[in-house]
């Protein structure tokens, strides 16, 4: 019985998965480049497919031309943003973080607000806003390292997409070489990873961008300062499933109370409810037709553990990794959805 299990496909895949996890753990900070590269490759590849489908109805064009054009547009946009808006964004984000931390450390003379601040200061969870904001600020402030990682990741993703067919032909040779079962299992994991992790990440990005645009529009109407900084903060928090809405509510309420008292706070609450309703009933069903319905309890447990082991990255990729594991276990997703 034991011998049969040791020779089974399931055991072989388990060993491959353990080796893969150990490798990812061993590379340390290089994980950032791996994740950035995968995200850029997947999102740009999906965009290229979307454009190619529509272009082929009108005229035939080489996919490499489309990919090169897309990357040229992205790089040009990044260059313009860095040249014109980076100083403004840096200043606004610094002022925003300073304002939030100051609010935590010097709460207004209001018993309800002080009680809420003291409670949040004691949190050790993904909702520990001060910790997450400080971590995000340090991550962004080390701009040189972050910019280098993004640049290398974009370059790698460009090379991958330009030589995708050649890479597929080359890697297929490993499935006929020694230890072929290991590489066959890697290919199996890769397909599962793209079909589960990649698609969830794509949806989170689309929803985060939409939430950020809608939120900044509402905040502009309400007369909030530092809109660029707030937009960046809302975008990153929007990448956190479920908890992102709650986390974003905390700093927005603080700023609202500072500039307009309780009426502004109530306006922000209404804004969050409206945007969350749009996300739940319009964006989620539109952007993804089949997702696993995770209970809120499981969602927060996953975020707790993923943040503990992976840091701020864990808040973004924790749920996609869990869904990937469910897919690996062949758990039936049915017609459920992540709320």
């Amino acid at each position: 019985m034991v011998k049969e299990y040791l020779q089974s496909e399931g055991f072989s895949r388990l060993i491959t998965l353990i080796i893969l996890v150990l490798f990812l753990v061993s590379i340390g900070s290089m994980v950032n480049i791996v994740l950035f590269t995968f995200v850029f490759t997947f999102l740009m590849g999906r965009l290229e497919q979307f454009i190619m489908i529509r272009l082929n109805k009108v005229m035939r064009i080489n996919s490499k031309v489309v990919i090169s054009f897309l990357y040229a547009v992205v790089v040009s946009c990044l260059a313009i943003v860095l040249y014109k808006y980076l100083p403004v964004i840096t200043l606004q984000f610094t002022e925003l973080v300073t304002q939030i931390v100051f609010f935590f450390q010097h709460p207004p003379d209001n018993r309800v607000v002080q009680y809420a601040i003291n409670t949040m200061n004691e949190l050790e969870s993904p909702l520990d806003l001060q910790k997450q904001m400080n971590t995000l600020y340090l991550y962004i402030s080390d701009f040189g390292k972050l910019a280098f990682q993004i640049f290398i990741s974009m370059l790698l993703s460009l090379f991958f997409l330009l030589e995708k067919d050649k890479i597929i032909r080359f890697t297929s040779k490993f499935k006929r070489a020694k230890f072929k079962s290991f590489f066959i299992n890697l290919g199996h994991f890769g397909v599962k990873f793209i079909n589960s992790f990649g698609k969830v990440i794509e949806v989170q990005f689309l929803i985060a961008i939409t939430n950020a645009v809608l939120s900044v529009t509402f905040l502009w109407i309400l007369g909030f300062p530092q809109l660029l900084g707030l937009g960046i903060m809302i975008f990153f928090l929007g990448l956190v499933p479920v908890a992102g809405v709650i986390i974003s509510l905390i700093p927005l309420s603080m700023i609202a109370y500072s500039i307009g008292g309780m009426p502004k706070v109530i306006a922000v609450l209404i804004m969050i409810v409206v945007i969350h309703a749009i996300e739940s009933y319009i964006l989620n069903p539109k952007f993804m037709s089949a997702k696993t319905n995770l209970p809120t309890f499981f969602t927060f447990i996953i975020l707790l553990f993923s943040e503990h082991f992976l840091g701020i990255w864990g808040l973004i990729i924790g749920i996609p990794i869990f869904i990937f594991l469910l897919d690996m276990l062949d758990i039936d997703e049915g017609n459920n959805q992540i709320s």
Side-chain angles (χ1 to χ4, degrees), residues 32 131-140 236-237 239-240 303 306-318:
N32 288 342
K131 175 186 173 183
Q132 302 304 342
M133 290 300 294
N134 285 334
T135 303
L136 182 60
Y137 177 68
L138 291 173
Y139 193 66
I140 294 178
F236 281 108
L237 293 178
L239 294 174
V240 182
L303 292 175
S306 59
E307 191 274 338
H308 175 75
F309 288 107
L310 301 174
I312 198 168
W313 263 114
L315 295 176
I316 298 172
I317 67 174

Side-chain angles (χ1 to χ4, degrees), residues 108-144:
D109 189 17
N110 183 301
R111 292 180 63 182
V112 176
V113 175
Q114 289 181 347
Y115 176 77
I117 295 296
N118 291 334
T119 301
M120 285 185 288
N121 280 332
E122 296 173 0
L123 286 175
E124 286 293 336
S125 74
L127 300 183
D128 185 352
L129 180 71
Q130 189 170 358
K131 175 186 173 183
Q132 302 304 342
M133 290 300 294
N134 285 334
T135 303
L136 182 60
Y137 177 68
L138 291 173
Y139 193 66
I140 294 178
S141 63
D142 193 2
F143 182 76

Side-chain angles (χ1 to χ4, degrees), residues 23-316:
F23 170 74
L24 291 174
V25 171
S26 67
I27 63 177
S29 60
M30 286 289 291
V31 171
N32 288 342
I33 293 179
V34 173
L35 290 171
F36 277 132
T37 302
F38 174 79
V39 170
F40 289 144
T41 303
F42 184 83
L43 294 179
M44 295 298 284
R46 294 279 289 179
L47 183 59
E48 179 256 334
Q49 290 176 7
F50 177 82
I51 293 173
M52 285 295 296
I53 290 172
R54 280 148 183 80
L55 279 179
N56 285 335
K57 295 178 181 179
V58 181
M59 59 178 178
R60 304 293 295 181
I61 188 169
N62 194 309
S63 62
K64 293 182 179 180
V65 175
V66 175
I67 292 169
S68 301
F69 175 76
L70 287 175
Y71 272 87
V73 171
V74 170
V75 171
S76 299
C77 291
L78 284 175
I80 292 171
V81 169
L82 291 177
Y83 178 73
K84 294 188 66 175
Y85 298 109
L86 181 61
V88 179
I89 293 173
T90 304
L91 178 62
Q92 288 195 10
F93 195 81
T94 303
E95 291 177 351
L96 179 63
V97 174
T98 303
Q99 186 176 357
I100 293 172
V101 173
F102 182 83
F103 193 96
F104 264 105
Q105 296 174 344
H106 305 88
D109 189 17
N110 183 301
R111 292 180 63 182
V112 176
V113 175
Q114 289 181 347
Y115 176 77
I117 295 296
N118 291 334
T119 301
M120 285 185 288
N121 280 332
E122 296 173 0
L123 286 175
E124 286 293 336
S125 74
L127 300 183
D128 185 352
L129 180 71
Q130 189 170 358
K131 175 186 173 183
Q132 302 304 342
M133 290 300 294
N134 285 334
T135 303
L136 182 60
Y137 177 68
L138 291 173
Y139 193 66
I140 294 178
S141 63
D142 193 2
F143 182 76
K145 183 178 179 181
L146 179 64
F148 176 75
Q149 290 175 340
I150 291 175
F151 173 75
I152 293 297
S153 299
M154 290 193 68
L155 202 60
L156 289 173
S157 68
L158 173 62
F159 290 154
F160 181 90
L161 291 173
L162 287 176
E163 299 185 316
K164 182 169 57 177
D165 295 335
K166 187 183 294 185
I167 290 171
I168 291 173
R169 289 196 299 270
F170 177 76
T171 54
S172 65
K173 296 178 182 178
F174 288 88
K175 295 181 180 180
R176 300 187 296 271
K178 292 182 179 180
F179 308 108
K180 63 180 181 180
S181 60
F182 174 78
F183 296 107
I184 291 172
N185 290 335
L186 279 182
H188 172 77
F189 289 147
V191 172
K192 290 280 189 180
F193 192 76
I194 292 171
N195 289 335
S196 55
F197 183 97
K199 290 182 179 178
V200 175
I201 282 288
E202 178 189 16
V203 170
Q204 286 183 198
F205 266 84
L206 291 172
I207 290 176
I209 291 171
T210 307
N211 282 350
V213 172
L214 292 175
S215 298
V216 169
T217 302
F218 278 112
L219 294 176
W220 174 71
I221 295 172
L222 293 174
F224 271 61
Q226 289 104 32
L227 289 177
L228 284 174
L230 285 171
I232 293 172
M233 182 194 72
I234 293 169
F235 170 76
F236 281 108
L237 293 178
L239 294 174
V240 182
V242 181
V245 175
I246 302 173
I247 300 173
S248 65
L249 178 61
I250 298 170
L252 291 177
S253 298
M254 292 176 183
I255 297 170
Y257 189 88
S258 299
I259 65 175
M262 287 308 297
K264 287 284 187 182
V265 175
I266 294 172
V268 167
L269 289 172
I270 295 172
M271 180 197 77
I272 292 295
V273 169
V274 170
I275 290 177
H276 184 60
I278 293 173
E279 175 185 335
S280 300
Y281 299 108
I282 299 177
L283 299 183
N284 275 344
K286 184 175 179 61
F287 288 150
M288 184 176 287
S289 58
K291 295 177 288 183
T292 302
N293 183 20
L294 292 180
T296 303
F297 173 78
F298 275 96
T299 299
F300 277 93
I301 290 295
I302 294 165
L303 292 175
L304 279 168
F305 280 92
S306 59
E307 191 274 338
H308 175 75
F309 288 107
L310 301 174
I312 198 168
W313 263 114
L315 295 176
I316 298 172

